Amino acid sequence: MFPRKYASRARRIAGLDPSQVAVSMARRQHRKRIAAGTAEIVQGDSAALPWPDGTFSAVTCDCLGCFAEPMKPVREMHRVLRPGGRIVLRVDPAPHRGP
């Protein structure tokens, strides 16, 4: 997962997952950064990201194949990306398994 591997290199990180269990685990893992104000982990829908336009210099998706309509989260990732930013997608060939 990108945040675990690269979080130490980023000034600020944010994560979103529809699962409260996954959000709780990520919050525990990044509790020091959350307390310092350099991390935010939220429960939500990737087709409606809760951040303003142009918030991030990099955006990742760990399982694009998990979405019935993958272009919705891709459009949202593009929206919250700064000009010149990067999107990293993992495209899972497995059939749709979630929201």
Side-chain angles (χ1 to χ4, degrees):
M1 182 177 183
F2 182 87
R4 265 183 283 192
K5 188 171 182 179
Y6 298 103
S8 64
R9 299 178 189 176
R11 185 175 346 144
R12 180 176 180 269
I13 62 168
L16 178 136
D17 199 283
S19 163
Q20 185 56 50
V21 172
V23 167
S24 294
M25 289 171 48
R27 284 178 178 164
R28 278 192 302 275
Q29 181 181 8
H30 297 290
R31 67 185 173 280
K32 290 180 183 176
R33 291 199 66 172
I34 291 169
T38 62
E40 176 184 14
I41 311 292
V42 299
Q43 184 177 7
D45 180 359
S46 60
L49 297 176
W51 297 287
D53 296 0
T55 299
F56 302 105
S57 59
V59 179
T60 69
C61 177
D62 204 31
C63 184
L64 195 60
C66 295
F67 299 101
E69 298 180 64
M71 287 310 296
K72 285 183 177 181
V74 168
R75 280 191 291 274
E76 278 294 281
M77 287 183 271
H78 185 262
R79 180 186 65 76
V80 300
L81 194 65
R82 290 181 191 142
R86 295 185 178 160
I87 295 178
V88 177
L89 302 173
R90 187 182 96 188
V91 179
D92 187 346
H96 164 68
R97 297 184 303 270

